[in-house]
Amino acid sequence: MTSLRRRQFLRLAAGVAALPAMPRPARAQAYPTRPIRLLVGFAAGGGTDLMARLIQQGLSERLGQQIVVENRPGAGTNIATEAVVHATPDGYTLLAASLANAGNATLYTDLKFNFIRDTVPVAGIALDPFVLEVTPSLPVKTIPELIAYAKANPGKVNYGSGGIGSGNQLTAEMLKMMAGIDLVHVPYRGAGPAMVDLMGGQVQVMFNTMGASLQHVRGGKLRALGVATKARQAALPDVPTLAEFLPGYEASFWTGVAAPKGTSPAVVDKLNQAVNGALGDDNVKARLAEWSATALAGSPADFARFVADETEKWGKVIHAANIKAE
């Protein structure tokens, strides 16, 4: 991410943050008057989809309109993102943004849009820890055993992901670099379908979010080897962190909401308040705690700074791992 793009993004967010001192036009005060679409760039069942649906009811209650979560998987979220970028900037078409959007800024050089330039940050939703998991048929029970097995079988162990540039891929590539192992990437049109094949043994390894993984790990359908956080997680207390074996390894999947460039600051502010309010619901807080996820509540400017930092972080991984868009 260039310094110029970063400054542009943060300047835009700063303008949104200054909203309370601005008069609100009647049209924005009346917003919304019809259902709102929240586009998800992955298939149902993945981390982005889960978080979008988690706040769906709370948003609907606060905005007084139906929130329609629409899955548009493909091209590493670029199909959904482009649809939002080109949508009328009236607040009725939103994007469930994610880590993939940060990575795509570096991964793709021929996009017809620029995520930083062509969207407005609305609000963060949550940070959901990644879990390194394997299909039970793979003869490994620990991270050192996985590393040893992969080194003994170079190019024969595969990992699934939600697509090129997805968080599932970026975290696995970071593991490959830090552990010095060779894993073969098998991309899917979303983390949900990849998880199905992981449980069926068609792929052997995967990083997925805690929220999407817990029921399968607890049910014995998957084996968790490590969590990608600094400390062990209460949801999986016996599972070590990757950093215990690979110092410095840390990654969480994040989600948030973005709108098309040109969306009224008043509308952005109203959406930001609704997202933050939904994150304060007791049932939402309980679900996040169950998943060991952390609410990413804050202002549009807070979310802008976070996205800018994540874009830099994962851009470095993409360059170092020489990840190419297909």
Side-chain angles (χ1 to χ4, degrees):
M1 179 181 187
T2 66
S3 297
L4 177 59
R5 289 177 182 173
R6 181 188 178 92
R7 288 197 299 272
Q8 290 174 334
F9 191 48
L10 297 181
R11 188 162 55 245
L12 176 60
V16 173
L19 167 69
M22 299 170 60
R24 300 186 182 191
R27 183 175 59 181
Q29 290 179 341
Y31 169 86
T33 59
R34 63 179 190 270
I36 298 168
R37 294 187 303 155
L38 179 58
L39 272 59
V40 175
F42 295 111
T48 308
D49 181 71
L50 287 176
M51 290 301 176
R53 295 182 189 280
L54 180 66
I55 65 168
Q56 183 178 19
Q57 181 177 345
L59 283 180
S60 179
E61 291 172 353
R62 284 161 177 79
L63 295 171
Q65 290 291 337
Q66 181 182 10
I67 306 298
V68 180
V69 175
E70 182 178 321
N71 297 90
R72 288 202 189 179
T77 75
N78 289 326
I79 291 176
T81 303
E82 185 171 357
V84 172
V85 164
H86 293 303
T88 302
D90 54 10
Y92 291 98
T93 304
L94 307 173
L95 177 71
S98 71
L99 185 156
N101 293 110
N104 287 351
T106 301
L107 183 64
Y108 293 87
T109 59
D110 59 349
L111 292 176
K112 298 178 182 177
F113 64 88
N114 178 292
F115 180 70
I116 298 295
R117 181 194 66 210
D118 298 329
T119 65
V120 176
V122 172
I125 298 177
L127 290 172
D128 194 355
F130 276 108
V131 181
L132 171 59
E133 50 212 18
V134 298
T135 187
S137 60
L138 192 68
V140 300
K141 295 184 178 180
T142 66
I143 294 171
E145 287 180 1
L146 173 63
I147 293 172
Y149 185 84
K151 287 184 176 180
N153 297 275
K156 295 182 180 179
V157 180
N158 55 37
Y159 75 90
S161 84
I164 301 292
S166 64
N168 320 104
Q169 183 193 17
L170 298 183
T171 46
E173 291 297 326
M174 191 159 68
L175 170 67
K176 287 172 58 176
M177 289 191 299
M178 295 179 70
I181 57 178
D182 181 16
L183 303 176
V184 179
H185 182 209
V186 182
Y188 288 79
R189 289 173 64 85
M195 281 284 281
V196 172
D197 274 7
L198 180 66
M199 289 184 282
Q202 283 76 33
V203 290
Q204 299 161 295
V205 179
M206 186 174 175
F207 276 89
N208 206 2
T209 60
M210 186 81 77
S213 304
L214 274 178
Q215 62 175 323
H216 305 304
V217 171
R218 291 171 174 168
K221 295 180 180 180
L222 294 173
R223 181 182 301 131
L225 301 187
V227 292
T229 46
K230 290 182 179 179
R232 296 194 182 198
Q233 298 297 306
L236 295 172
D238 297 325
V239 178
T241 68
L242 277 92
E244 291 176 39
F245 307 98
L246 299 169
Y249 191 103
E250 183 182 2
S252 287
F253 188 79
W254 58 265
T255 47
V257 178
K261 179 182 178 181
T263 301
S264 161
V267 169
V268 172
D269 181 63
K270 192 166 188 176
L271 288 168
N272 175 269
Q273 292 180 29
V275 173
N276 288 334
L279 291 173
D281 286 347
D282 288 341
N283 64 326
V284 172
K285 291 194 290 187
R287 185 61 62 87
L288 290 176
E290 177 186 344
W291 294 339
S292 292
T294 304
L296 198 57
S299 67
D302 292 332
F303 187 46
R305 285 188 290 269
F306 177 82
V307 172
D309 290 342
E310 283 286 290
T311 301
E312 279 193 39
K313 172 183 176 177
W314 293 110
K316 292 176 182 177
V317 171
I318 290 168
H319 282 310
N322 196 30
I323 301 173
K324 302 293 185 182
E326 294 181 355

